[in-house]
PDB file of all heavy atoms in Angstrom:
ATOM      1  N   VAL A  21      -8.892  -9.821   3.086  1.00 95.00           N
ATOM      2  CA  VAL A  21      -9.503  -8.525   2.701  1.00 95.00           C
ATOM      3  C   VAL A  21     -10.031  -8.807   1.164  1.00 95.00           C
ATOM      4  O   VAL A  21      -9.267  -9.057   0.331  1.00 95.00           O
ATOM      5  CB  VAL A  21      -8.596  -7.380   2.670  1.00 95.00           C
ATOM      6  CG1 VAL A  21      -9.293  -6.013   2.142  1.00 95.00           C
ATOM      7  CG2 VAL A  21      -7.954  -7.108   4.048  1.00 95.00           C
ATOM      8  N   CYS A  40     -16.034  -3.685   0.027  1.00 97.00           N
ATOM      9  CA  CYS A  40     -14.951  -4.311   0.746  1.00 97.00           C
ATOM     10  C   CYS A  40     -15.283  -4.871   2.003  1.00 97.00           C
ATOM     11  O   CYS A  40     -16.095  -4.269   2.705  1.00 97.00           O
ATOM     12  CB  CYS A  40     -13.898  -3.205   0.852  1.00 97.00           C
ATOM     13  SG  CYS A  40     -12.423  -3.868   1.780  1.00 97.00           S
ATOM     14  N   THR A  48      -9.602  -1.046  11.843  1.00 90.00           N
ATOM     15  CA  THR A  48      -9.350   0.032  11.068  1.00 90.00           C
ATOM     16  C   THR A  48      -9.348  -0.432   9.546  1.00 90.00           C
ATOM     17  O   THR A  48      -8.727  -1.410   9.228  1.00 90.00           O
ATOM     18  CB  THR A  48      -7.947   0.767  11.248  1.00 90.00           C
ATOM     19  OG1 THR A  48      -7.999   1.152  12.652  1.00 90.00           O
ATOM     20  CG2 THR A  48      -7.784   1.986  10.371  1.00 90.00           C
ATOM     21  N   MET A  49     -10.031   0.330   8.724  1.00 92.00           N
ATOM     22  CA  MET A  49     -10.107   0.006   7.242  1.00 92.00           C
ATOM     23  C   MET A  49      -9.768   1.311   6.444  1.00 92.00           C
ATOM     24  O   MET A  49      -9.986   2.381   6.932  1.00 92.00           O
ATOM     25  CB  MET A  49     -11.480  -0.473   6.841  1.00 92.00           C
ATOM     26  CG  MET A  49     -11.812  -1.752   7.507  1.00 92.00           C
ATOM     27  SD  MET A  49     -13.306  -2.598   6.970  1.00 92.00           S
ATOM     28  CE  MET A  49     -12.852  -3.137   5.248  1.00 92.00           C
ATOM     29  N   TYR A  50      -9.316   1.084   5.187  1.00 92.00           N
ATOM     30  CA  TYR A  50      -8.752   2.140   4.342  1.00 92.00           C
ATOM     31  C   TYR A  50      -9.277   1.930   2.917  1.00 92.00           C
ATOM     32  O   TYR A  50      -9.463   0.842   2.437  1.00 92.00           O
ATOM     33  CB  TYR A  50      -7.227   2.221   4.354  1.00 92.00           C
ATOM     34  CG  TYR A  50      -6.537   1.983   5.677  1.00 92.00           C
ATOM     35  CD1 TYR A  50      -6.372   0.769   6.241  1.00 92.00           C
ATOM     36  CD2 TYR A  50      -6.052   3.160   6.302  1.00 92.00           C
ATOM     37  CE1 TYR A  50      -5.718   0.661   7.493  1.00 92.00           C
ATOM     38  CE2 TYR A  50      -5.372   3.037   7.521  1.00 92.00           C
ATOM     39  CZ  TYR A  50      -5.209   1.800   8.097  1.00 92.00           C
ATOM     40  OH  TYR A  50      -4.508   1.719   9.255  1.00 92.00           O
ATOM     41  N   TRP A  51      -9.266   3.040   2.243  1.00 94.00           N
ATOM     42  CA  TRP A  51      -9.268   3.067   0.727  1.00 94.00           C
ATOM     43  C   TRP A  51      -8.101   3.827   0.203  1.00 94.00           C
ATOM     44  O   TRP A  51      -7.756   4.917   0.646  1.00 94.00           O
ATOM     45  CB  TRP A  51     -10.543   3.750   0.176  1.00 94.00           C
ATOM     46  CG  TRP A  51     -11.650   2.764   0.109  1.00 94.00           C
ATOM     47  CD1 TRP A  51     -12.759   2.738   0.960  1.00 94.00           C
ATOM     48  CD2 TRP A  51     -11.848   1.636  -0.762  1.00 94.00           C
ATOM     49  NE1 TRP A  51     -13.668   1.686   0.626  1.00 94.00           N
ATOM     50  CE2 TRP A  51     -13.083   0.908  -0.464  1.00 94.00           C
ATOM     51  CE3 TRP A  51     -11.113   1.075  -1.821  1.00 94.00           C
ATOM     52  CZ2 TRP A  51     -13.589  -0.137  -1.095  1.00 94.00           C
ATOM     53  CZ3 TRP A  51     -11.540  -0.008  -2.456  1.00 94.00           C
ATOM     54  CH2 TRP A  51     -12.805  -0.656  -2.061  1.00 94.00           C
ATOM     55  N   TYR A  52      -7.326   3.139  -0.739  1.00 94.00           N
ATOM     56  CA  TYR A  52      -6.255   3.726  -1.385  1.00 94.00           C
ATOM     57  C   TYR A  52      -6.418   3.785  -2.903  1.00 94.00           C
ATOM     58  O   TYR A  52      -7.107   2.976  -3.465  1.00 94.00           O
ATOM     59  CB  TYR A  52      -4.905   2.901  -1.142  1.00 94.00           C
ATOM     60  CG  TYR A  52      -4.223   3.088   0.167  1.00 94.00           C
ATOM     61  CD1 TYR A  52      -4.726   2.277   1.306  1.00 94.00           C
ATOM     62  CD2 TYR A  52      -3.222   3.912   0.421  1.00 94.00           C
ATOM     63  CE1 TYR A  52      -4.077   2.364   2.542  1.00 94.00           C
ATOM     64  CE2 TYR A  52      -2.578   4.038   1.531  1.00 94.00           C
ATOM     65  CZ  TYR A  52      -3.129   3.243   2.684  1.00 94.00           C
ATOM     66  OH  TYR A  52      -2.437   3.403   3.913  1.00 94.00           O
ATOM     67  N   ILE A  62      -3.491   7.547   0.047  1.00 89.00           N
ATOM     68  CA  ILE A  62      -4.619   7.257   0.872  1.00 89.00           C
ATOM     69  C   ILE A  62      -5.779   8.165   0.541  1.00 89.00           C
ATOM     70  O   ILE A  62      -5.559   9.336   0.308  1.00 89.00           O
ATOM     71  CB  ILE A  62      -4.316   7.228   2.395  1.00 89.00           C
ATOM     72  CG1 ILE A  62      -5.477   6.655   3.205  1.00 89.00           C
ATOM     73  CG2 ILE A  62      -3.939   8.675   2.806  1.00 89.00           C
ATOM     74  CD1 ILE A  62      -5.073   6.338   4.622  1.00 89.00           C
ATOM     75  N   MET A  63      -6.984   7.590   0.613  1.00 92.00           N
ATOM     76  CA  MET A  63      -8.192   8.451   0.372  1.00 92.00           C
ATOM     77  C   MET A  63      -9.039   8.550   1.662  1.00 92.00           C
ATOM     78  O   MET A  63      -9.255   9.747   2.092  1.00 92.00           O
ATOM     79  CB  MET A  63      -9.098   7.739  -0.650  1.00 92.00           C
ATOM     80  CG  MET A  63      -8.431   7.514  -2.006  1.00 92.00           C
ATOM     81  SD  MET A  63      -9.489   6.544  -3.092  1.00 92.00           S
ATOM     82  CE  MET A  63     -10.878   7.662  -3.418  1.00 92.00           C
ATOM     83  N   PHE A  64      -9.257   7.464   2.223  1.00 89.00           N
ATOM     84  CA  PHE A  64     -10.012   7.514   3.561  1.00 89.00           C
ATOM     85  C   PHE A  64      -9.535   6.392   4.514  1.00 89.00           C
ATOM     86  O   PHE A  64      -9.026   5.397   4.033  1.00 89.00           O
ATOM     87  CB  PHE A  64     -11.522   7.144   3.299  1.00 89.00           C
ATOM     88  CG  PHE A  64     -12.217   8.007   2.274  1.00 89.00           C
ATOM     89  CD1 PHE A  64     -12.423   7.617   1.016  1.00 89.00           C
ATOM     90  CD2 PHE A  64     -12.708   9.314   2.623  1.00 89.00           C
ATOM     91  CE1 PHE A  64     -12.969   8.438   0.062  1.00 89.00           C
ATOM     92  CE2 PHE A  64     -13.230  10.102   1.666  1.00 89.00           C
ATOM     93  CZ  PHE A  64     -13.416   9.804   0.447  1.00 89.00           C
ATOM     94  N   SER A  65      -9.735   6.697   5.738  1.00 89.00           N
ATOM     95  CA  SER A  65      -9.560   5.607   6.802  1.00 89.00           C
ATOM     96  C   SER A  65     -10.735   5.775   7.815  1.00 89.00           C
ATOM     97  O   SER A  65     -11.149   6.791   8.237  1.00 89.00           O
ATOM     98  CB  SER A  65      -8.297   5.936   7.486  1.00 89.00           C
ATOM     99  OG  SER A  65      -8.059   4.999   8.566  1.00 89.00           O
ATOM    100  N   TYR A  66     -11.214   4.588   8.153  1.00 88.00           N
ATOM    101  CA  TYR A  66     -12.228   4.488   9.178  1.00 88.00           C
ATOM    102  C   TYR A  66     -11.641   3.583  10.437  1.00 88.00           C
ATOM    103  O   TYR A  66     -10.948   2.561  10.144  1.00 88.00           O
ATOM    104  CB  TYR A  66     -13.435   3.704   8.539  1.00 88.00           C
ATOM    105  CG  TYR A  66     -14.413   4.661   7.944  1.00 88.00           C
ATOM    106  CD1 TYR A  66     -14.118   5.248   6.748  1.00 88.00           C
ATOM    107  CD2 TYR A  66     -15.649   4.841   8.524  1.00 88.00           C
ATOM    108  CE1 TYR A  66     -15.052   6.103   6.172  1.00 88.00           C
ATOM    109  CE2 TYR A  66     -16.658   5.738   7.875  1.00 88.00           C
ATOM    110  CZ  TYR A  66     -16.209   6.291   6.707  1.00 88.00           C
ATOM    111  OH  TYR A  66     -17.161   7.191   6.139  1.00 88.00           O
ATOM    112  N   ILE A  72     -11.651   8.764  10.122  1.00 79.00           N
ATOM    113  CA  ILE A  72     -10.569   9.366  10.844  1.00 79.00           C
ATOM    114  C   ILE A  72      -9.499  10.022   9.914  1.00 79.00           C
ATOM    115  O   ILE A  72      -8.937  10.867  10.282  1.00 79.00           O
ATOM    116  CB  ILE A  72      -9.846   8.400  11.738  1.00 79.00           C
ATOM    117  CG1 ILE A  72      -9.332   7.173  10.994  1.00 79.00           C
ATOM    118  CG2 ILE A  72     -10.679   7.840  12.982  1.00 79.00           C
ATOM    119  CD1 ILE A  72      -8.418   6.317  11.891  1.00 79.00           C
ATOM    120  N   ILE A  73      -9.547   9.546   8.692  1.00 76.00           N
ATOM    121  CA  ILE A  73      -8.657  10.207   7.720  1.00 76.00           C
ATOM    122  C   ILE A  73      -9.559  10.494   6.401  1.00 76.00           C
ATOM    123  O   ILE A  73     -10.238   9.550   5.977  1.00 76.00           O
ATOM    124  CB  ILE A  73      -7.433   9.405   7.314  1.00 76.00           C
ATOM    125  CG1 ILE A  73      -6.540   9.262   8.433  1.00 76.00           C
ATOM    126  CG2 ILE A  73      -6.797   9.976   6.060  1.00 76.00           C
ATOM    127  CD1 ILE A  73      -5.350   8.319   8.219  1.00 76.00           C
ATOM    128  N   LEU A  91     -16.206  -1.652   4.422  1.00 95.00           N
ATOM    129  CA  LEU A  91     -16.109  -0.279   4.080  1.00 95.00           C
ATOM    130  C   LEU A  91     -16.142  -0.215   2.507  1.00 95.00           C
ATOM    131  O   LEU A  91     -15.362  -0.699   1.672  1.00 95.00           O
ATOM    132  CB  LEU A  91     -14.676   0.243   4.407  1.00 95.00           C
ATOM    133  CG  LEU A  91     -14.390   1.713   4.065  1.00 95.00           C
ATOM    134  CD1 LEU A  91     -15.359   2.654   4.794  1.00 95.00           C
ATOM    135  CD2 LEU A  91     -12.959   2.127   4.456  1.00 95.00           C
ATOM    136  N   PHE A 107      -7.545   0.231  -3.960  1.00 95.00           N
ATOM    137  CA  PHE A 107      -7.294  -0.877  -3.011  1.00 95.00           C
ATOM    138  C   PHE A 107      -8.021  -0.565  -1.658  1.00 95.00           C
ATOM    139  O   PHE A 107      -7.892   0.484  -0.975  1.00 95.00           O
ATOM    140  CB  PHE A 107      -5.817  -0.996  -2.685  1.00 95.00           C
ATOM    141  CG  PHE A 107      -5.028  -1.611  -3.819  1.00 95.00           C
ATOM    142  CD1 PHE A 107      -4.317  -0.760  -4.735  1.00 95.00           C
ATOM    143  CD2 PHE A 107      -4.952  -2.959  -3.964  1.00 95.00           C
ATOM    144  CE1 PHE A 107      -3.536  -1.307  -5.802  1.00 95.00           C
ATOM    145  CE2 PHE A 107      -4.284  -3.476  -5.042  1.00 95.00           C
ATOM    146  CZ  PHE A 107      -3.602  -2.668  -5.939  1.00 95.00           C
ATOM    147  N   CYS A 108      -8.716  -1.632  -1.207  1.00 96.00           N
ATOM    148  CA  CYS A 108      -9.196  -1.665   0.163  1.00 96.00           C
ATOM    149  C   CYS A 108      -8.139  -2.248   1.058  1.00 96.00           C
ATOM    150  O   CYS A 108      -7.475  -3.108   0.659  1.00 96.00           O
ATOM    151  CB  CYS A 108     -10.536  -2.364   0.310  1.00 96.00           C
ATOM    152  SG  CYS A 108     -11.196  -2.533   1.916  1.00 96.00           S
ATOM    153  N   ALA A 109      -8.070  -1.871   2.337  1.00 94.00           N
ATOM    154  CA  ALA A 109      -7.063  -2.426   3.305  1.00 94.00           C
ATOM    155  C   ALA A 109      -7.660  -2.360   4.735  1.00 94.00           C
ATOM    156  O   ALA A 109      -8.573  -1.627   4.863  1.00 94.00           O
ATOM    157  CB  ALA A 109      -5.756  -1.681   3.072  1.00 94.00           C
ATOM    158  N   SER A 110      -6.932  -3.095   5.607  1.00 93.00           N
ATOM    159  CA  SER A 110      -7.332  -3.027   6.950  1.00 93.00           C
ATOM    160  C   SER A 110      -6.074  -3.185   7.834  1.00 93.00           C
ATOM    161  O   SER A 110      -5.059  -3.739   7.361  1.00 93.00           O
ATOM    162  CB  SER A 110      -8.436  -4.047   7.343  1.00 93.00           C
ATOM    163  OG  SER A 110      -7.781  -5.370   7.335  1.00 93.00           O
ATOM    164  N   SER A 111      -6.207  -2.761   9.011  1.00 89.00           N
ATOM    165  CA  SER A 111      -5.115  -2.923   9.980  1.00 89.00           C
ATOM    166  C   SER A 111      -5.764  -3.153  11.397  1.00 89.00           C
ATOM    167  O   SER A 111      -6.865  -2.711  11.591  1.00 89.00           O
ATOM    168  CB  SER A 111      -4.063  -1.827  10.067  1.00 89.00           C
ATOM    169  OG  SER A 111      -4.751  -0.650  10.520  1.00 89.00           O
ATOM    170  N   PRO A 112      -5.002  -3.761  12.291  1.00 85.00           N
ATOM    171  CA  PRO A 112      -5.548  -4.040  13.608  1.00 85.00           C
ATOM    172  C   PRO A 112      -6.192  -2.799  14.269  1.00 85.00           C
ATOM    173  O   PRO A 112      -7.225  -2.886  14.948  1.00 85.00           O
ATOM    174  CB  PRO A 112      -4.520  -4.725  14.484  1.00 85.00           C
ATOM    175  CG  PRO A 112      -3.605  -5.288  13.369  1.00 85.00           C
ATOM    176  CD  PRO A 112      -3.656  -4.417  12.196  1.00 85.00           C
ATOM    177  N   ARG A 113      -5.449  -1.738  14.129  1.00 71.00           N
ATOM    178  CA  ARG A 113      -5.824  -0.429  14.802  1.00 71.00           C
ATOM    179  C   ARG A 113      -4.958   0.531  14.015  1.00 71.00           C
ATOM    180  O   ARG A 113      -4.082   0.295  13.342  1.00 71.00           O
ATOM    181  CB  ARG A 113      -5.638  -0.451  16.304  1.00 71.00           C
ATOM    182  CG  ARG A 113      -4.155  -0.729  16.630  1.00 71.00           C
ATOM    183  CD  ARG A 113      -4.000  -1.109  18.089  1.00 71.00           C
ATOM    184  NE  ARG A 113      -2.689  -1.529  18.430  1.00 71.00           N
ATOM    185  CZ  ARG A 113      -2.126  -2.657  18.204  1.00 71.00           C
ATOM    186  NH1 ARG A 113      -2.820  -3.565  17.648  1.00 71.00           N
ATOM    187  NH2 ARG A 113      -0.905  -2.864  18.458  1.00 71.00           N
ATOM    188  N   THR A 114      -5.248   1.881  14.316  1.00 65.00           N
ATOM    189  CA  THR A 114      -4.370   2.886  13.894  1.00 65.00           C
ATOM    190  C   THR A 114      -3.152   2.951  14.787  1.00 65.00           C
ATOM    191  O   THR A 114      -3.269   2.587  15.990  1.00 65.00           O
ATOM    192  CB  THR A 114      -5.034   4.247  13.852  1.00 65.00           C
ATOM    193  OG1 THR A 114      -5.586   4.603  15.200  1.00 65.00           O
ATOM    194  CG2 THR A 114      -6.238   4.205  12.795  1.00 65.00           C
ATOM    195  N   GLY A 115      -2.024   3.495  14.288  1.00 60.00           N
ATOM    196  CA  GLY A 115      -0.876   3.533  15.238  1.00 60.00           C
ATOM    197  C   GLY A 115       0.391   2.997  14.635  1.00 60.00           C
ATOM    198  O   GLY A 115       0.331   2.273  13.628  1.00 60.00           O
ATOM    199  N   ASN A 118       1.636  -0.771  12.861  1.00 77.00           N
ATOM    200  CA  ASN A 118       0.473  -1.590  12.355  1.00 77.00           C
ATOM    201  C   ASN A 118       0.743  -2.076  10.995  1.00 77.00           C
ATOM    202  O   ASN A 118       0.874  -1.128  10.104  1.00 77.00           O
ATOM    203  CB  ASN A 118      -0.800  -0.865  12.629  1.00 77.00           C
ATOM    204  CG  ASN A 118      -1.375  -1.230  13.967  1.00 77.00           C
ATOM    205  OD1 ASN A 118      -1.908  -2.274  14.281  1.00 77.00           O
ATOM    206  ND2 ASN A 118      -1.214  -0.225  14.823  1.00 77.00           N
ATOM    207  N   THR A 119       0.665  -3.334  10.791  1.00 86.00           N
ATOM    208  CA  THR A 119       0.751  -3.795   9.368  1.00 86.00           C
ATOM    209  C   THR A 119      -0.638  -3.627   8.693  1.00 86.00           C
ATOM    210  O   THR A 119      -1.671  -3.809   9.236  1.00 86.00           O
ATOM    211  CB  THR A 119       1.074  -5.404   9.411  1.00 86.00           C
ATOM    212  OG1 THR A 119       2.255  -5.581  10.038  1.00 86.00           O
ATOM    213  CG2 THR A 119       1.071  -5.856   7.929  1.00 86.00           C
ATOM    214  N   ILE A 120      -0.542  -3.113   7.441  1.00 89.00           N
ATOM    215  CA  ILE A 120      -1.783  -2.876   6.626  1.00 89.00           C
ATOM    216  C   ILE A 120      -1.851  -4.068   5.701  1.00 89.00           C
ATOM    217  O   ILE A 120      -0.993  -4.468   5.047  1.00 89.00           O
ATOM    218  CB  ILE A 120      -1.663  -1.629   5.949  1.00 89.00           C
ATOM    219  CG1 ILE A 120      -1.569  -0.389   6.884  1.00 89.00           C
ATOM    220  CG2 ILE A 120      -2.877  -1.333   4.999  1.00 89.00           C
ATOM    221  CD1 ILE A 120      -1.344   0.959   6.250  1.00 89.00           C
ATOM    222  N   TYR A 121      -3.084  -4.687   5.694  1.00 92.00           N
ATOM    223  CA  TYR A 121      -3.391  -5.801   4.832  1.00 92.00           C
ATOM    224  C   TYR A 121      -4.216  -5.325   3.626  1.00 92.00           C
ATOM    225  O   TYR A 121      -5.321  -4.704   3.877  1.00 92.00           O
ATOM    226  CB  TYR A 121      -4.075  -6.925   5.740  1.00 92.00           C
ATOM    227  CG  TYR A 121      -3.247  -7.434   6.730  1.00 92.00           C
ATOM    228  CD1 TYR A 121      -3.123  -6.762   7.966  1.00 92.00           C
ATOM    229  CD2 TYR A 121      -2.557  -8.640   6.540  1.00 92.00           C
ATOM    230  CE1 TYR A 121      -2.374  -7.356   8.998  1.00 92.00           C
ATOM    231  CE2 TYR A 121      -1.804  -9.209   7.642  1.00 92.00           C
ATOM    232  CZ  TYR A 121      -1.577  -8.513   8.813  1.00 92.00           C
ATOM    233  OH  TYR A 121      -0.902  -9.091   9.734  1.00 92.00           O
ATOM    234  N   PHE A 122      -3.861  -5.686   2.490  1.00 93.00           N
ATOM    235  CA  PHE A 122      -4.491  -5.104   1.245  1.00 93.00           C
ATOM    236  C   PHE A 122      -5.295  -6.218   0.655  1.00 93.00           C
ATOM    237  O   PHE A 122      -4.980  -7.352   0.597  1.00 93.00           O
ATOM    238  CB  PHE A 122      -3.378  -4.641   0.332  1.00 93.00           C
ATOM    239  CG  PHE A 122      -2.739  -3.319   0.695  1.00 93.00           C
ATOM    240  CD1 PHE A 122      -1.748  -3.262   1.533  1.00 93.00           C
ATOM    241  CD2 PHE A 122      -3.283  -2.110   0.166  1.00 93.00           C
ATOM    242  CE1 PHE A 122      -1.074  -2.117   1.908  1.00 93.00           C
ATOM    243  CE2 PHE A 122      -2.722  -0.972   0.525  1.00 93.00           C
ATOM    244  CZ  PHE A 122      -1.596  -0.971   1.410  1.00 93.00           C
TER     245      PHE A 122
ATOM    246  N   PHE B 109      -0.751   9.075  13.769  1.00 59.00           N
ATOM    247  CA  PHE B 109       0.012   8.152  12.935  1.00 59.00           C
ATOM    248  C   PHE B 109      -0.497   8.146  11.410  1.00 59.00           C
ATOM    249  O   PHE B 109      -1.597   7.850  11.110  1.00 59.00           O
ATOM    250  CB  PHE B 109      -0.031   6.694  13.440  1.00 59.00           C
ATOM    251  CG  PHE B 109       0.568   6.690  14.737  1.00 59.00           C
ATOM    252  CD1 PHE B 109      -0.232   6.699  15.875  1.00 59.00           C
ATOM    253  CD2 PHE B 109       1.841   6.413  14.902  1.00 59.00           C
ATOM    254  CE1 PHE B 109       0.464   6.610  17.145  1.00 59.00           C
ATOM    255  CE2 PHE B 109       2.478   6.313  16.032  1.00 59.00           C
ATOM    256  CZ  PHE B 109       1.729   6.374  17.288  1.00 59.00           C
ATOM    257  N   THR B 111       0.631   6.764   7.583  1.00 82.00           N
ATOM    258  CA  THR B 111       1.487   5.862   6.706  1.00 82.00           C
ATOM    259  C   THR B 111       1.792   6.464   5.417  1.00 82.00           C
ATOM    260  O   THR B 111       0.879   6.897   4.652  1.00 82.00           O
ATOM    261  CB  THR B 111       0.757   4.500   6.573  1.00 82.00           C
ATOM    262  OG1 THR B 111       0.488   3.986   7.858  1.00 82.00           O
ATOM    263  CG2 THR B 111       1.468   3.501   5.787  1.00 82.00           C
TER     264      THR B 111
END
Side-chain angles (χ1 to χ4, degrees):
Chain A
V21 182
C40 179
T48 306
M49 295 187 72
Y50 312 81
W51 277 108
Y52 283 85
I62 190 166
M63 301 172 68
F64 303 102
S65 174
Y66 271 70
I72 56 171
I73 294 176
L91 180 62
F107 286 99
C108 179
S110 72
S111 65
R113 58 196 175 278
T114 55
N118 272 282
T119 300
I120 298 176
Y121 296 80
F122 286 84
Chain B
F109 295 99
T111 299

